[in-house]
């Protein structure tokens, strides 16, 4: 009988002897690999954190003690151990358990996560609340070295080490030397300054000899250094950084040695001060294909367990991301002012090849979207043409930088916003459903969305010619497969394009919704309803002339966007009609209602939330019946 079968909560885990735990870890790994091979998911990160999850739940009294996993993508073992073993097969499926931690899913999930580096701030908040409520609980945050590249992590450390020295906060730094790709920045090399016992002895001797050799003060200094073992450690290990924040530093220790981990956690759990435990782990641990290729298995699709080979059908149509990456390289070959910025996502944003070809013109700033945008603003002031490629959902982090550092002075920074719209299985924390609204309110910003890959290429060309902030957002997944036009022509600013003409209904569409609008038009035609379809291309500036002229002729208007309706493209059209004093026009706005969208397959969610072709057909029916 398997050990895992009997684990329905951490209380069951605690019944196991320490000797049994490595076998349990094996079973958990097996379950994770087996399920993720069918559902896709964050395999490598979760495999690396199996022992951590076991040790934490073995030692602490969760959910009374509060545990926060940063990003939450590494928490599969935690989910399995905390009563979700039987549902684990539904990982990332619609109505199944989420790929990240979710407050609503389990009392063991202290925080809903998905965007990185929030764990220290949130756990400090929890610790403070527990203190004020006179409740005695430990609070534990587990954060990766990649997530430690974000400023907010240090904002949390800074506060924790100041006023709240007596709060019982344990931060576990899960250091695998990787973000999604190899981790970047000075911090990464600093963390890897791990000294073996022998090296520490040698370093101590060297330092001792040096201090003793100094005239007069030498001997005293040597005695002092010898006495203060801790400060000596601070000289020579990554602890220096965290001790500067008043954290008690322990480590680095091997995060796969369960016995050792449990001993240390048992010791530090009694400390009444902020503690940082530095644990080293291996991404993909225990599954050879993921150990060998942790970048691919960071977030993978379905795969064959035996070989690790991808099982998702190979789509011959490139993704929008691929088209963007290739077009940027073509353009950068001709214009050496072009530089590219990513925030820890060179693969995801299609910039990996650019990085190889133009290493000096490529910048991975770490998980630091705010810094990345302001860094680009700085380069723009010097005449460079920065292209900042960030997912829609993560650009939310840098809203003020877009406003304050780019838009106010009309700096020519180009925002290539990937994963605009419904992203699918990553769910509510990751859908890019707000960008049209959050950017539209910013003066000086131009916003475009391509209907196909030719539009995307032209939008990049348009952006490179534009002397001011400009953004184009495109969806996750395959483009439309149309042949690519050469040469790439820039677009006239603020002009839409009429794709089909008809008299009954006017469909104003933006981005990938243009395809749905065309499909809906065909269905409507079969019902005897004729529709004009406009690929609006620009959310800002809108093609006012075209839209208003058409709306006067065809006063039954449908706007379609893959964005929240509040403040988005349809709102812009309504405002334009109002400002132009157009009366008697009936408008149906298709977009996401005022709600957060859960995880599930993209097409299913589009259908459930009424933003696909059938939804357009229904809206047209309503308009026809109303007039
Ligand atoms: C604000 C934000 N930007 C980007 C991402 C995308 N992302 C998810 S996990 C990850 C790497 C995290 O690295 P680390 O914390 O070291 O965890 P590991 O996967 O190595 O275990 C990134 C960049 C994110 N989740 N949040």
């Amino acid at each position: 009988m398997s050990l895992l079968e009997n684990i329905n909560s951490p209380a069951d885990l605690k019944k196991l002897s320490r000797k049994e735990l490595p076998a349990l870890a094996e079973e958990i790994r097996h379950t994770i690999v087996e399920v993720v091979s069918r559902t896709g998911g964050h395999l490598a990160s979760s495999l690396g954190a199996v022992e951590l999850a076991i040790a934490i739940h073995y030692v602490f009294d969760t959910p009374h003690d509060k545990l926060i996993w940063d990003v939450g993508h590494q928490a599969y073992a935690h989910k399995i151990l905390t009563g979700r073993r039987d549902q684990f097969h539904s990982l990332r499926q619609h109505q199944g358990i989420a790929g990240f931690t979710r407050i609503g899913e389990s009392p063991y999930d202290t925080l809903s996560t998905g965007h990185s580096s929030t764990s220290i701030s949130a756990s400090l908040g929890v610790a403070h609340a527990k203190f004020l409520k006179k409740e005695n609980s430990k609070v534990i945050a587990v954060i990766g070295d990649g997530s430690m590249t974000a400023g907010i992590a240090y904002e949390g450390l800074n506060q924790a080490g100041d006023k709240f020295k007596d709060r019982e906060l344990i931060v576990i730094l899960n250091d695998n030397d990787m973000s999604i790709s190899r981790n970047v920045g000075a911090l990464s090399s600093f963390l890897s300054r791990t000294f073996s016992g022998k090296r520490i002895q040698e370093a101590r001797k060297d330092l001792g000899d040096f201090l003793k050799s100094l005239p007069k003060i030498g001997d005293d200094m040597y005695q002092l250094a010898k006495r203060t073992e801790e400060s000596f450690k601070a000289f020579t290990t990554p602890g220096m950084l965290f001790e500067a924040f008043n954290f008690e530093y322990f480590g680095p220790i091997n995060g796969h040695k369960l016995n050792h981990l449990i001993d240390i956690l048992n010791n530090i759990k009694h400390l009444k001060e902020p503690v940082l435990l530095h644990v080293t782990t291996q991404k993909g641990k225990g599954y050879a294909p993921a150990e060998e290729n942790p970048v691919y298995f960071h977030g993978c699709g379905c795969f064959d367990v035996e070989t690790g080979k991808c099982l998702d059908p190979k789509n011959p149509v490139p993704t929008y991301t691929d088209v963007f990456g290739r077009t940027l390289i073509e353009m950068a070959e001709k214009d050496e002012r072009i530089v590219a910025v990513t925030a820890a996502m060179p693969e995801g944003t299609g910039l990996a090849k650019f990085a190889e070809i133009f290493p000096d013109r490529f910048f991975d700033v770490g998980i630091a979207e705010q810094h990345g945008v302001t860094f680009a603003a700085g380069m723009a002031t010097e005449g460079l043409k920065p292209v900042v490629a960030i997912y829609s959902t993560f650009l939310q982090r840098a809203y003020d930088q877009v406003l304050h550092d780019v838009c106010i002075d009309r700096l020519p920074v180009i925002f290539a916003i990937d994963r605009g719209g419904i992203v699918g299985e990553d769910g509510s924390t990751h859908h890019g459903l707000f960008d049209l609204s959050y950017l539209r309110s910013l003066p000086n910003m131009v916003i475009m969305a391509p209907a196909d890959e030719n539009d995307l290429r032209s939008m990049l060309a348009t952006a490179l010619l534009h002397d001011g902030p400009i953004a184009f957002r495109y969806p996750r997944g395959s483009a439309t497969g149309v042949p690519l036009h050469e040469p790439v022509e820039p677009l006239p600013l603020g002009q839409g394009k009429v794709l089909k003409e008809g008299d009954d209904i006017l469909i104003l569409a933006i981005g990938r919704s243009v395809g749905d609008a065309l499909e809906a038009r065909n269905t409507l035609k079969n019902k005897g309803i004729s529709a004009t379809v406009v690929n609006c291309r620009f959310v800002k500036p809108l093609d006012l002339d075209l839209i208003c002229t058409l709306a006067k002729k065809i006063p039954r208007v449908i706007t379609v966007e893959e964005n929240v309706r509040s403040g988005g493209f349809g709102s812009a059209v309504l405002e334009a009609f109002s400002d132009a004093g157009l009366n008697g026009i009936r408008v149906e706005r298709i977009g996401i209602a005022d709600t957060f969208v859960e995880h599930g397959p993209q097409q299913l969610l589009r259908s459930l939330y009424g933003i696909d072709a059938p939804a357009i057909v229904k809206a047209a029916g309503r308009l026809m019946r109303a007039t």
Side-chain angles (χ1 to χ4, degrees), residues 160-445:
D162 178 15
K163 272 206 192 114
F164 309 113
K165 276 193 270 276
D166 54 347
R167 301 296 185 271
E168 297 177 32
L169 174 65
I170 297 169
V171 176
I172 301 180
L173 172 61
N174 175 18
D175 179 5
N176 53 26
D177 210 16
M178 299 285 292
S179 191
I180 292 179
S181 321
R182 197 142 282 291
N183 203 7
V184 295
L187 176 77
S188 164
S189 47
F190 188 73
L191 287 181
S192 55
R193 266 188 235 171
T194 53
F195 286 81
S196 67
K198 186 163 174 277
R199 297 257 319 270
I200 286 190
Q201 294 308 326
E202 282 166 7
R204 170 190 279 149
K205 188 172 174 303
D206 289 350
L207 183 68
D209 290 348
F210 170 70
L211 291 173
K212 273 204 266 186
S213 72
L214 294 177
K216 285 196 182 154
I217 55 160
D219 224 37
D220 291 350
M221 283 287 282
Y222 174 69
Q223 290 308 327
L224 187 70
K226 241 176 94 177
R227 272 201 308 274
T228 50
E229 182 68 19
E230 285 314 302
S231 61
F232 179 79
K233 247 170 57 187
F235 275 128
T236 56
T237 72
M240 186 177 172
L241 175 66
F242 303 105
E243 286 176 358
F245 284 105
N246 285 332
F247 271 69
E248 193 63 34
Y249 172 86
F250 296 90
I253 64 160
N254 183 330
H256 299 300
K257 295 234 159 90
L258 268 163
N259 246 333
H260 196 188
L261 257 183
I262 290 170
D263 284 341
I264 295 221
L265 289 176
N266 269 327
N267 282 336
I268 62 179
K269 95 174 182 186
H270 300 294
L271 295 175
K272 302 217 170 300
E273 60 197 325
V275 168
L276 189 131
L277 174 64
H278 184 178
V279 167
T280 56
T281 58
Q282 181 182 12
K283 220 163 160 166
K285 177 80 177 172
Y287 179 58
E291 286 183 5
E292 279 153 31
N293 195 351
V295 176
Y296 175 77
F297 282 100
H298 174 87
C300 59
C302 301
F303 60 92
D304 176 56
V305 174
E306 283 301 303
T307 61
K309 292 250 157 61
C310 173
L311 286 183
D312 288 337
K314 191 146 181 60
N315 193 334
V317 178
T319 61
Y320 280 100
T321 306
D322 293 335
V323 175
F324 161 71
R326 271 189 254 149
T327 311
L328 187 65
I329 290 171
E330 283 167 30
M331 296 185 177
E333 267 153 7
K334 293 182 209 134
D335 184 346
E336 59 185 27
R337 292 169 303 170
I338 295 174
V339 290
V341 178
T342 178
M345 317 221 39
E347 281 82 18
T349 55
L351 288 177
K353 194 87 200 152
F354 185 103
E356 267 173 54
I357 302 176
F358 307 107
D360 297 343
R361 290 156 64 187
F362 167 78
F363 304 96
D364 179 352
V365 297
I367 310 181
E369 290 82 6
Q370 303 181 330
H371 158 66
V373 170
T374 304
F375 170 66
M379 291 197 287
T381 64
E382 288 294 319
L384 296 185
K385 290 186 175 172
V387 178
V388 181
I390 295 184
Y391 288 8
S392 169
T393 190
F394 301 138
L395 187 60
Q396 289 161 193
R397 278 270 165 102
Y399 188 68
D400 185 55
Q401 284 70 17
V402 177
L403 184 157
H404 178 273
D405 301 327
V406 176
C407 284
I408 289 181
D409 283 295
R410 290 181 53 95
L411 292 180
V413 175
I414 296 164
F415 296 95
I417 307 179
D418 203 325
R419 287 4 178 226
I422 301 246
V423 296
E425 289 73 9
D426 279 344
S428 57
T429 50
H430 281 61
H431 294 304
L433 290 169
F434 305 95
D435 50 11
L436 300 184
S437 310
Y438 71 68
L439 292 176
R440 198 168 77 77
S441 54
L442 298 181
N444 296 330
M445 178 61 92

Side-chain angles (χ1 to χ4, degrees), residues 19-155:
K19 273 203 187 116
E20 289 171 302
L21 296 182
L24 178 72
E26 273 309 295
E27 288 181 33
I28 292 176
R29 280 209 165 82
H30 180 80
T31 306
I32 292 176
V33 171
E34 204 273 318
V35 168
V36 178
S37 75
R38 287 182 284 110
T39 62
H42 290 99
L43 184 71
S45 312
S46 276
L47 289 179
V50 171
E51 283 81 9
L52 263 179
I54 293 176
I56 292 168
H57 286 296
Y58 198 72
V59 169
F60 291 93
D61 179 20
T62 55
H64 173 74
D65 289 336
K66 296 291 173 184
L67 169 60
I68 298 182
W69 296 90
D70 206 280
V71 185
H73 65 315
Q74 76 292 60
Y76 296 173
H78 157 84
K79 292 201 176 207
I80 291 170
L81 290 168
T82 53
R84 285 166 277 182
R85 190 198 61 225
D86 285 345
Q87 294 116 289
F88 191 64
H89 64 92
S90 69
L91 181 73
R92 291 159 54 89
Q93 311 299 297
H94 190 242
Q95 310 287 10
I97 62 171
F100 303 90
T101 54
R102 291 278 175 267
I103 288 179
E105 196 178 280
S106 162
Y108 292 89
D109 291 3
T110 307
L111 193 72
S112 292
T113 51
H115 290 204
S116 84
S117 320
T118 60
S119 62
I120 299 176
S121 303
S123 51
L124 183 60
V126 174
H128 202 149
K130 293 285 180 198
F131 178 83
L132 291 177
K133 294 197 298 181
K134 300 194 175 24
E135 286 175 12
N136 207 359
S137 329
K138 301 282 165 189
V139 188
I140 307 120
V142 182
I143 181 166
D145 57 309
S147 298
M148 281 304 296
T149 58
I152 179 177
Y154 298 87
E155 294 167 31

